Amino acid sequence: MTHILRPVYILIVLFIVFQSCVKDSSTDPFLVSNRQIGLLTDSTQVKDLKVIFSNDSIENDAAKNRFTGVSPSIKVFDKTGKQLLTLSPERLVDSTATINTVKIEDPRYQTAKGISINSTFGELNAAYKIKKVDNLIKTIVISVESLSATFTIDKGELPANMRFDRSLNIDPIQIPEKAKIKYFMLHW
């Protein structure tokens, strides 16, 4: 009886080993990593966007901004009209240009550590090491290590004594843990 079961056990073990080696070929369309957001990568060209976002709507401002010198943006909307992303290419009106900056507009997009635009500073601080905090007019911009991203928080989320002084050096420990992330951007 054991000589019959032995091949069955061997087959089961081989099957388990084989399954553990097979990688999932599907990409999470909402996963944000250092060089990729779903199928969008740091080497994606503007001309490839229609294929990547074939089920979504793309609005390209490049033609409007061609003569003004203002950086164009490409907005991606889902089927319901909700804005997903704002993309900024490296060059105006060039279909072979790659995307330089991606602004995350939808909370379904999140990092592998679960950070999205619905996250708080406390969650961001627990997930990533803060590299620096830039004090701007109406917002603070937080750069983190291990991710080419910046996270923006409205100064209205800060204590009143920190909202109006742009010369103030803001230390991460001064930012309330419950301060909400307004948006975040990936920079390639």
Side-chain angles (χ1 to χ4, degrees):
M1 179 95 171
T2 58
H3 68 313
I4 294 173
L5 291 176
R6 185 173 283 157
V8 172
Y9 287 127
I10 292 171
L11 284 173
I12 290 171
V13 169
L14 286 174
F15 178 76
I16 291 170
V17 169
F18 176 76
Q19 287 299 326
S20 67
C21 292
V22 174
K23 291 194 177 189
D24 184 12
S25 63
S26 64
T27 301
D28 180 351
F30 298 106
L31 180 63
V32 177
S33 65
N34 213 23
R35 299 271 176 223
Q36 187 168 345
I37 299 175
L39 297 174
L40 183 69
T41 69
D42 60 348
S43 60
T44 300
Q45 295 180 338
V46 172
K47 67 181 179 174
D48 301 326
L49 295 176
K50 288 181 182 175
V51 173
I52 293 170
F53 297 107
S54 61
N55 295 327
D56 302 309
S57 176
I58 299 172
E59 177 185 297
N60 190 340
D61 291 341
K64 292 185 222 173
N65 295 325
R66 177 173 34 187
F67 299 109
T68 64
V70 176
S71 294
S73 62
I74 300 167
K75 296 177 181 172
V76 181
F77 299 87
D78 69 10
K79 294 176 192 172
T80 66
K82 183 172 171 61
Q83 188 170 355
L84 301 174
L85 304 167
T86 300
L87 313 173
S88 298
E90 63 183 343
R91 289 184 303 276
L92 295 169
V93 197
D94 182 355
S95 65
T96 64
T98 56
I99 305 301
N100 273 353
T101 307
V102 180
K103 181 179 177 186
I104 310 296
E105 307 277 1
D106 187 287
R108 291 176 287 180
Y109 287 96
Q110 47 181 269
T111 69
K113 296 184 179 185
I115 302 299
S116 74
I117 61 172
N118 284 346
S119 298
T120 63
F121 175 74
E123 293 166 332
L124 175 66
N125 195 26
Y128 295 97
K129 183 173 181 183
I130 305 299
K131 189 168 25 175
K132 73 176 187 170
V133 178
D134 291 316
N135 184 356
L136 304 179
I137 295 172
K138 295 182 180 182
T139 61
I140 58 171
V141 178
I142 300 162
S143 301
V144 297
E145 291 184 10
S146 75
L147 192 62
S148 299
T150 55
F151 297 83
T152 300
I153 294 176
D154 193 289
K155 279 192 171 177
E157 299 280 337
L158 302 178
N161 63 335
M162 296 173 63
R163 293 182 189 164
F164 303 106
D165 186 0
R166 283 201 51 221
S167 64
L168 182 67
N169 286 328
I170 298 176
D171 191 279
I173 61 170
Q174 296 174 291
I175 303 169
E177 286 198 8
K178 294 186 183 213
K180 297 175 188 163
I181 294 173
K182 186 175 183 177
Y183 59 85
F184 75 97
M185 300 176 78
L186 235 59
H187 308 278
W188 293 328

